[in-house]
């Protein structure tokens, strides 16, 4: 599928390409991004090049991962967000934010916009968020975006070759006032 561009009141969400490689490389030197995400560490120029020139475009082409750079209207990259298809009608969101742009709500705003797009255009009925237990910044973004934290999955995430416990949460179309493509009957009691 062709990449799409989304707009919010303050942001432009678009795919990344070779023109963004140097900026992605610079931002990903942040020790917090390397610690809490699964990007390689150390993060080398070839990792940024592979991401912007192969991984991100290939995800759109084969319809498995929809990567958006989160940009200010003037063109400055504030973060990255992707929704990866995990199973039928289920996606998983992941994101990071440039250090100098944290605390402005940009990634929360982008997450809501991308999930709304996934629910209305991609027939996704559940978006999951996962993060290593202790990544309180990521959890705060997920909660502000409306995700329900569902619990801890023991030994569920691999980061830098180590199994770690992970938080998991979900966002459903109904959480954003949208219909599901498949009927949903919540459990009772």
């Amino acid at each position: 599928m062709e990449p799409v561009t989304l707009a919010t009141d303050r942001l432009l969400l678009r795919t990344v390409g070779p023109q963004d490689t140097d900026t992605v490389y610079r931002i990903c030197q942040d020790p917090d991004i390397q610690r809490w995400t699964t990007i390689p560490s150390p993060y080398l120029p070839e990792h940024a090049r592979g991401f912007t020139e192969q991984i991100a475009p290939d995800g759109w082409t084969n319809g498995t991962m929809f990567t958006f750079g989160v940009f200010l209207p003037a063109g400055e990259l504030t973060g990255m967000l992707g929704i990866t298809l995990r199973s039928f009608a289920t996606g998983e969101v992941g994101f990071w934010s440039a250090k100098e742009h944290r605390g402005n709500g940009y990634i929360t705003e982008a997450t809501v916009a991308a999930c709304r797009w996934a629910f209305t255009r991609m027939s996704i009925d559940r978006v999951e968020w996962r993060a290593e237990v202790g990544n309180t910044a990521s959890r705060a973004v997920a909660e502000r975006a409306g995700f329900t934290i569902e619990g801890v999955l023991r030994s569920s995430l691999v980061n830098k070759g180590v199994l770690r416990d992970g938080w998991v949460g979900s966002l459903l179309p109904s959480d954003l006032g949208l219909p599901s493509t498949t009927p949903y009957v919540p459990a009772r009691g």
Side-chain angles (χ1 to χ4, degrees):
M1 100 180 263
E2 288 296 316
V4 300
T5 299
L6 306 174
T8 70
D9 289 341
R10 303 184 299 161
L11 304 168
L12 185 69
L13 282 66
R14 66 160 174 81
T15 193
V16 292
Q19 71 278 12
D20 304 304
T21 300
D22 291 342
T23 305
V24 168
Y25 171 73
R26 178 187 57 77
I27 292 171
C28 287
Q29 297 311 298
D30 179 355
D32 287 333
I33 292 175
Q34 291 189 28
R35 164 61 181 96
W36 293 111
T37 72
T38 58
I39 69 166
S41 181
Y43 195 78
L44 305 174
E46 54 263 31
H47 296 130
R49 216 172 11 263
F51 178 73
T52 61
E53 296 179 21
Q54 186 174 13
I55 293 171
D58 287 357
W60 281 100
T61 298
N62 61 34
T64 59
M65 183 173 69
F66 311 106
T67 301
F68 296 95
V70 180
F71 293 88
L72 294 176
E76 185 176 359
L77 180 65
T78 68
M80 196 67 58
L81 179 143
I83 296 179
T84 304
L85 293 183
R86 291 292 179 214
S87 61
F88 176 73
T90 301
E92 181 179 334
V93 68
F95 45 75
W96 53 253
S97 177
K99 187 174 189 169
E100 62 271 21
H101 292 290
R102 291 181 191 145
N104 294 312
Y106 296 144
I107 300 303
T108 300
E109 187 175 321
T111 298
V112 172
C115 289
R116 183 176 296 280
W117 168 80
F119 292 144
T120 59
R121 300 289 183 241
M122 299 305 298
S123 299
I124 289 177
D125 284 322
R126 175 182 168 91
V127 176
E128 294 182 351
W129 158 87
R130 295 170 189 255
E132 183 179 333
V133 170
N135 188 347
T136 56
S138 182
R139 182 173 174 150
V141 168
E143 289 177 324
R144 283 193 305 268
F147 281 73
T148 297
I149 307 304
E150 296 175 335
V152 173
L153 300 175
R154 297 179 309 144
S155 190
S156 63
L157 302 173
V158 178
N159 192 357
K160 316 300 186 269
V162 176
L163 282 168
R164 301 170 190 268
D165 294 343
W167 284 317
V168 63
S170 68
L171 188 71
L172 305 178
S174 58
D175 297 330
L176 298 179
L178 300 169
S180 294
T181 59
T182 305
Y184 168 51
V185 179
R188 295 194 179 149

